[in-house]
Amino acid sequence: MTTASPIYSFAEDASRAESVAWAKFSAAKDSAEFCASWLTILCMQVERAGGGLLLLGPDKDGAYVPAAVWPHPGLDMQHLSPAAERALTERRGIVVPTEGRGAFIGYPIEVSGTLHGAVVLDIGPGSEAALQRALRLLHWASAWLIDQFRKGALEEREARLTRMGIAMDIVATAMQERYFSASALAVANELAGRLACDRVSIGLEKSGSTEVKVISHTATFDPKMDLGRRIGNAMDEVLDLDVALVFPPRDDVERAALAHDELAREYRDIAICSVPLVDGGHATGVLTLERTKGEPFDGATIELCKTVGGLLGPILTLKRENERNLLQYVGAALRHGAEVLFGPRHPGAKLIALLTLGFILFFSVVSGTYRVAAKTVIEGAVQRIAAAPFDGFIAESFVRAGDTVKAGQVLCKLDDRELKLDQARLSSEREQLERKYRQALAAQERSTMTILQAQIEQVDAMLSLTKDKLSRATLVAPFDGIVVAGDLQQLLGTPVELGKSLFTIAPLDSYRVILQVEERDISYLKLQQQGELTLSGVPHRQMEFSVEQITPVSTAQDGRNFFRVEARLRDSSERVRPGMEGVGKVEVGERKLIWIWTHYLVDWVRLTLWKWLF
């Protein structure tokens, strides 16, 4: 009887182990079995491979953990960790020589720029060519892992798209209904059918707790009954923890969900999933799904429920707010404001509220001078009109608007040629009448003398009138001042009528201030009140004035009523001219600063309330 060679027996065992590894690799049930069989096949094909380590990750802590170890799963491979860390850091194949003339070879597992892990082999002493072959084999073998990760990413993407499709269908169902109750019930029924649930409930937050609004396939129910109360308690747990809760529990957080355990025990639920309805980063309600038969909720279904909760939150909140009346809107706004001011969050809003309150208290105590502002125009205290003394024509003009004139300075001249001809005619006619009068006197013809005397007096009157017109044909300035209006230099030779205004002259040393005060401020003004004026032409100087007259007649301008208030300047500037505009402010008296800034608004509110309520 012959005994088998040990070498043959070892080769046969290795071949059998490799066959088993290939069988597991081709029919791997999960990722762990796939990685273990892949590493076994790789190490068996690499010459002088003494051990192998496959690291995958990163996990939630950012670390890479062993996914497979060869030749034994429990074997300590800490000596391969430096080589694995180097391969992960450098993101390339590496060879690290060892003291026994062997080497550690490592290669990173990278897919589309994302690092998923690294594999490290302990190679015994050998030639340089053997190490190169091992590194090439490791490079080619990593394609299996890369393909596996790509398949996983593709499956995850397809699952995510499927979840988003279902979520969009749920959102479309919610949008089809106009009112909140109908919309929420349609969503609950749709989710119950899509996810094989026996009962789907939707509750909304109210005063810190959850109120169950709808239950699938149930037209009416009483939230205070046992079912509604227990579902509400389960929803309160989600609202308090602000996380999704699942029964049976999967981690320590979910083990604290006592109300879910009680709900499952009382109504024989094998699975419960509750997710918050999120709007603006805050939970405004809870969506609870229950199963009494079938399988517990898997990870994909839980993620779908979370997505639906995030999408339905704003929609259901908006539908509920649209159904509120005015009092409910006001109450909700007050509650929200109270939560912001006195709740545990929103430090910025609290700081702004404190600053605002401080400002209000400060301005309610401190007083200031209240001044009524109004548009202001400068006018001369006296304005003299230089009018045409008779019908005639303009012969010469020496000044125009804006010129400064002295008393007696010639402004313009009218054409006096016709007047001089009339004067000469009347003088000749008078001489003829006087000659006739002397002849009648010599002849002692008393009646003729009487008639001629009357004619001479008539001619004298006409001659006197003509001389008066000649004296007034030259218009002169009545006093020192400025020409406010009038420019005849382009109207030479044109006719003018008796009484037509040719120039307007105002004095330079005497002005009056005209303020256009709005009717809402006129009640604060009194005679002798003091004020300050700033003109657009002299913006760097403030001139004082005092109120002298308040006209009780208003004029409409730009849709508002204004009263004319006259004041007199105390000390005017030499640059002040009639017609200048600016802003004048009349000092009314001391008032609280908060009254100064808010009395317009308060008056408007009073007037509006009087108009609509009383």
Side-chain angles (χ1 to χ4, degrees):
M1 180 177 181
T2 57
T3 302
S5 170
I7 297 176
Y8 176 79
S9 177
F10 176 77
E12 185 177 13
D13 291 342
S15 177
R16 186 180 301 108
E18 185 175 359
S19 298
V20 173
W22 274 106
K24 291 182 178 181
F25 179 74
S26 59
K29 298 180 181 179
D30 52 26
S31 176
E33 187 175 354
F34 178 86
C35 293
S37 58
W38 175 85
L39 184 61
T40 300
I41 295 171
L42 173 63
C43 293
M44 286 184 175
Q45 291 183 353
V46 175
E47 298 178 5
R48 295 180 301 281
L53 173 65
L54 175 61
L55 298 176
L56 296 180
D59 57 7
K60 61 181 180 178
D61 298 325
Y64 293 86
V65 297
V69 178
W70 187 85
H72 302 295
L75 190 64
D76 186 10
M77 290 292 182
Q78 290 294 329
H79 60 286
L80 298 180
S81 297
E85 183 177 355
R86 181 179 170 185
L88 290 171
T89 303
E90 299 182 7
R91 292 196 175 194
R92 63 180 182 87
I94 62 169
V95 177
V96 181
T98 60
E99 295 180 358
R101 300 187 65 183
F104 299 152
I105 61 174
Y107 197 84
I109 309 299
E110 190 174 4
V111 181
S112 300
T114 303
L115 194 63
H116 289 273
V119 58
V120 183
L121 300 181
D122 184 2
I123 307 299
S127 63
E128 186 71 23
L131 285 177
Q132 290 295 331
R133 286 195 299 271
L135 191 60
R136 292 192 189 100
L137 184 60
L138 182 58
H139 172 73
W140 285 100
S142 65
W144 287 98
L145 291 179
I146 293 174
D147 180 68
Q148 188 72 5
F149 283 119
R150 285 177 175 169
K151 287 182 179 178
L154 182 60
E155 292 175 356
E156 183 180 355
R157 179 183 178 186
E158 292 178 351
R160 186 164 57 250
L161 291 176
T162 301
R163 291 196 301 269
M164 288 303 299
I166 297 176
M168 290 299 102
D169 292 341
I170 300 299
V171 170
T173 301
M175 296 298 293
Q176 287 177 356
E177 300 293 340
R178 179 178 180 182
Y179 297 104
F180 167 79
S181 300
S183 178
L185 183 59
V187 167
N189 293 338
E190 182 74 11
L191 283 172
R194 287 291 188 103
L195 303 182
C197 297
D198 294 278
R199 185 167 44 246
V200 175
S201 307
I202 296 177
L204 296 181
E205 185 273 337
K206 182 179 180 180
S207 301
S209 61
T210 310
E211 181 180 355
V212 181
K213 293 296 184 179
V214 296
I215 299 177
S216 61
H217 308 298
T218 304
T220 58
F221 67 95
D222 186 359
K224 296 182 180 180
M225 294 180 63
D226 185 69
L227 176 62
R229 181 176 56 81
R230 294 185 185 276
I231 294 177
N233 293 336
M235 290 181 175
D236 287 340
E237 288 182 334
V238 177
L239 202 64
D240 295 337
L241 299 175
D242 199 18
V243 294
L245 297 180
V246 180
F247 177 85
R250 299 178 301 171
D251 53 38
D252 294 338
V253 175
E254 293 174 354
R255 291 183 186 279
L258 301 179
H260 283 69
D261 293 342
E262 182 181 355
L263 176 63
R265 184 173 59 255
E266 290 295 328
Y267 291 93
R268 299 180 181 180
D269 294 331
I270 65 167
I272 302 175
C273 177
S274 297
V275 297
L277 300 176
V278 182
D279 180 23
H282 304 289
T284 59
V286 180
L287 174 66
T288 300
L289 301 91
E290 302 174 61
R291 287 177 179 173
T292 58
K293 57 182 179 297
E295 298 293 332
F297 293 99
D298 55 11
T301 305
I302 295 173
E303 290 299 321
L304 172 61
C305 294
K306 291 180 179 179
T307 303
V308 171
L311 295 175
L312 286 180
I315 297 174
L316 295 181
T317 300
L318 181 61
K319 289 182 177 293
R320 182 178 64 170
E321 291 179 352
N322 288 339
E323 296 180 5
R324 292 176 176 175
N325 54 35
L326 180 59
L327 294 178
Q328 290 175 331
Y329 267 113
V330 173
L334 293 177
R335 286 195 299 271
H336 178 70
E339 291 176 359
V340 170
L341 293 178
F342 305 106
R345 293 179 292 183
H346 307 288
K350 293 180 176 62
L351 178 60
I352 293 174
L354 288 176
L355 292 176
T356 303
L357 180 60
F359 277 117
I360 293 175
L361 292 177
F362 175 79
F363 291 120
S364 299
V365 174
V366 178
S367 299
T369 302
Y370 176 57
R371 298 189 295 179
V372 173
K375 181 181 177 181
T376 306
V377 179
I378 298 296
E379 292 183 357
V382 177
Q383 289 189 353
R384 186 69 61 84
I385 304 296
F390 50 81
D391 294 340
F393 297 86
I394 299 174
E396 294 180 279
S397 179
F398 302 100
V399 296
R400 58 182 176 179
D403 291 345
T404 303
V405 296
K406 298 292 184 179
Q409 181 177 342
V410 178
L411 303 177
C412 70
K413 290 184 178 181
L414 299 182
D415 190 355
D416 58 357
R417 289 176 298 179
E418 291 186 2
L419 292 175
K420 290 181 178 179
L421 290 175
D422 286 345
Q423 185 181 22
R425 180 180 59 80
L426 291 173
S427 298
S428 176
E429 185 177 347
R430 187 179 189 282
E431 291 177 358
Q432 292 177 3
L433 290 174
E434 284 183 350
R435 189 167 48 251
K436 290 179 180 181
Y437 178 80
R438 287 193 295 271
Q439 292 175 357
L441 180 61
Q444 295 295 316
E445 296 178 356
R446 293 187 179 276
S447 60
T448 303
M449 290 173 56
T450 303
I451 294 173
L452 290 174
Q453 183 64 33
Q455 290 178 349
I456 291 173
E457 291 178 358
Q458 180 180 7
V459 171
D460 287 340
M462 295 177 63
L463 186 60
S464 176
L465 179 61
T466 302
K467 290 179 179 180
D468 182 65
K469 287 184 178 181
L470 283 171
S471 65
R472 291 188 289 132
T474 300
L475 277 70
V476 296
F479 48 75
D480 295 347
I482 184 174
V483 179
V484 178
D487 185 2
L488 306 179
Q489 292 185 356
Q490 297 181 359
L491 301 176
L492 299 179
T494 59
V496 292
E497 298 176 354
L498 174 64
K500 181 179 180 181
S501 176
L502 301 181
F503 297 98
T504 302
I505 302 173
L508 286 173
D509 57 351
S510 180
Y511 302 101
R512 59 181 176 182
V513 180
I514 306 301
L515 295 93
Q516 297 179 357
V517 181
E518 289 192 46
E519 61 177 342
R520 61 182 179 181
D521 294 326
I522 195 64
S523 60
Y524 302 118
L525 267 61
K526 298 179 181 178
L527 297 179
Q528 303 305 319
Q529 285 179 332
Q530 307 301 312
E532 292 182 338
L533 166 66
T534 299
L535 297 174
S536 301
V538 194
H540 59 277
R541 180 173 178 181
Q542 294 179 347
M543 291 167 281
E544 297 181 353
F545 63 84
S546 60
V547 178
E548 291 194 343
Q549 183 179 358
I550 301 175
T551 305
V553 179
S554 66
T555 57
Q557 183 178 352
D558 298 331
R560 293 180 293 179
N561 292 333
F562 295 90
F563 285 83
R564 177 186 173 96
V565 177
E566 295 184 7
R568 184 169 296 276
L569 288 174
R570 287 186 179 179
D571 224 356
S572 62
S573 171
E574 65 278 0
R575 297 178 58 185
V576 176
R577 294 293 183 270
M580 284 187 169
E581 296 183 355
V583 177
K585 295 184 178 180
V586 182
E587 295 183 3
V588 173
E590 293 293 321
R591 299 288 192 278
K592 300 297 183 183
L593 292 181
I594 192 170
W595 181 91
I596 294 175
W597 289 356
T598 61
H599 72 283
Y600 286 149
L601 177 61
V602 173
D603 292 343
W604 178 83
V605 171
R606 287 175 177 173
L607 184 61
T608 303
L609 291 177
W610 171 261
K611 177 180 178 181
W612 292 103
L613 299 180
F614 299 103

